[in-house]
């Protein structure tokens, strides 16, 4: 049994690269990368790792059937959102029930929702004087950062930590745990 996953990303794609690296030479294949941003670092990652990729626009995702139907026909074992900033349309959610997951760089339900991404999250956490932050991996539904939580892990924030320091701590957790959780879901562990 081998597994094929598709990764959706809008940004630099360091999680995508990490997932590719961790699953290299295993039976888990990053078979497609999807981005809404032609200038995203994740496109270079797709190219340099010889992974098929597609750049989509809003019409592809929300107003035409072709792209969604092609994804449904591909029948990936899992769709992984790794810094993908657009909502997933209902048609794709229905075609991939409990097979689309997202990682969020904070302890949901706090610091999630529309506009809460990247450094905005870590700045908000810092400004609120939180003692802890972390990561949340959850199933995707029709709202931002809202589906059932699969996994969370927290890390301590020191008073001296800047938002950049917090981002570093969170990224370390993401690199450590996201592939692990993906693998567990695929193998139903
Ligand atoms: C990560 O922090 C992830 O939690 C969030 O978007 C960021 C993506 O970073 N959803 P990168 O593009 O993988 O470097």
């Amino acid at each position: 049994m081998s597994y094929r996953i598709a990764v959706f990303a809008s940004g630099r794609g360091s999680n995508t690269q990490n997932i590719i690296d961790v699953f290299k030479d295993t039976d888990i294949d990053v078979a497609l990368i999807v981005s809404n941003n032609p200038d995203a670092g994740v496109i270079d990652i797709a190219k340099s790792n010889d992974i098929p990729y597609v750049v989509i626009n809003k019409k592809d995702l929300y107003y035409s059937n072709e792209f969604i139907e092609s994804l449904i026909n591909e029948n990936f074992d899992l769709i992984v959102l790794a810094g993908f900033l657009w909502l997933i349309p209902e048609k794709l959610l229905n075609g991939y029930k409990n097979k689309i997951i997202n990682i969020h760089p904070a302890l949901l339900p706090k610091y999630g929702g529309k506009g809460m991404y990247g450094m905005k999250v870590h700045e908000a956490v810092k400004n609120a004087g939180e003692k802890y932050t972390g990561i949340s991996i959850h199933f995707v539904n029709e709202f931002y950062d809202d589906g059932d939580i699969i996994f969370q892990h927290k890390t301590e924030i020191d008073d001296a930590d800047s938002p950049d320091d917090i981002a570093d701590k969170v990224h370390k957790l993401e690199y450590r745990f996201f592939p692990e959780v993906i693998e567990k879901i695929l193998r139903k562990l």
Side-chain angles (χ1 to χ4, degrees):
M1 174 94 191
S2 65
Y3 303 95
R4 293 161 59 253
I5 65 176
V7 179
F8 284 37
S10 303
R12 70 183 174 131
S14 69
N15 275 283
T16 306
Q17 181 67 64
N18 180 58
I19 290 165
I20 295 166
D21 292 342
V22 170
F23 294 139
K24 195 170 185 290
D25 302 324
T26 73
D27 58 350
I28 298 171
D29 182 32
V30 178
L32 180 69
I33 290 175
V34 175
S35 185
N36 60 313
N37 177 3
D39 302 320
V42 75
I43 300 295
D44 296 324
I45 289 174
K47 288 179 183 163
S48 62
N49 290 277
D50 269 328
I51 294 174
Y53 67 91
V54 46
V55 178
I56 52 160
N57 56 33
K58 290 218 160 150
K59 183 169 163 279
D60 298 323
L61 192 58
Y62 301 116
Y63 308 113
S64 88
N65 288 327
E66 206 183 316
F67 171 64
I68 301 292
E69 273 167 15
S70 74
L71 280 180
I72 292 174
N73 287 337
E74 284 277 357
N75 199 17
F76 293 108
D77 295 290
L78 195 66
I79 292 178
V80 172
L81 312 189
F84 186 68
L85 296 181
W86 289 355
L87 284 178
I88 299 302
E90 206 179 327
K91 214 169 167 189
L92 188 53
L93 294 172
N94 289 337
Y96 277 89
K97 280 229 158 51
N98 286 332
K99 283 189 175 179
I100 309 180
I101 63 169
N102 178 47
I103 187 161
H104 186 77
L107 296 170
L108 292 173
K110 287 173 118 181
Y111 308 105
K114 192 170 165 57
M116 267 293 170
Y117 60 89
M119 286 308 295
K120 292 181 191 195
V121 175
H122 308 304
E123 278 155 13
V125 166
K126 173 74 188 171
N127 289 339
E130 295 283 357
K131 297 285 173 230
Y132 292 93
T133 187
I135 59 169
S136 303
I137 297 169
H138 64 93
F139 287 112
V140 170
N141 67 11
E142 61 270 50
F143 306 108
Y144 285 106
D145 305 323
D146 185 65
D148 287 347
I149 290 173
I150 304 163
F151 175 90
Q152 291 187 303
H153 194 93
K154 63 181 184 176
T155 183
E156 209 166 331
I157 300 173
D158 299 324
D159 289 346
D161 282 346
S162 66
D164 280 329
D165 297 326
I166 297 173
D168 283 347
K169 286 182 172 176
V170 168
H171 266 119
K172 285 202 180 90
L173 295 182
E174 293 183 330
Y175 301 152
R176 179 169 159 210
F177 289 110
F178 203 16
E180 241 181 71
V181 172
I182 291 169
E183 183 162 12
K184 280 191 177 152
I185 292 171
L186 288 171
R187 300 195 200 284
K188 304 194 180 2
L189 294 177

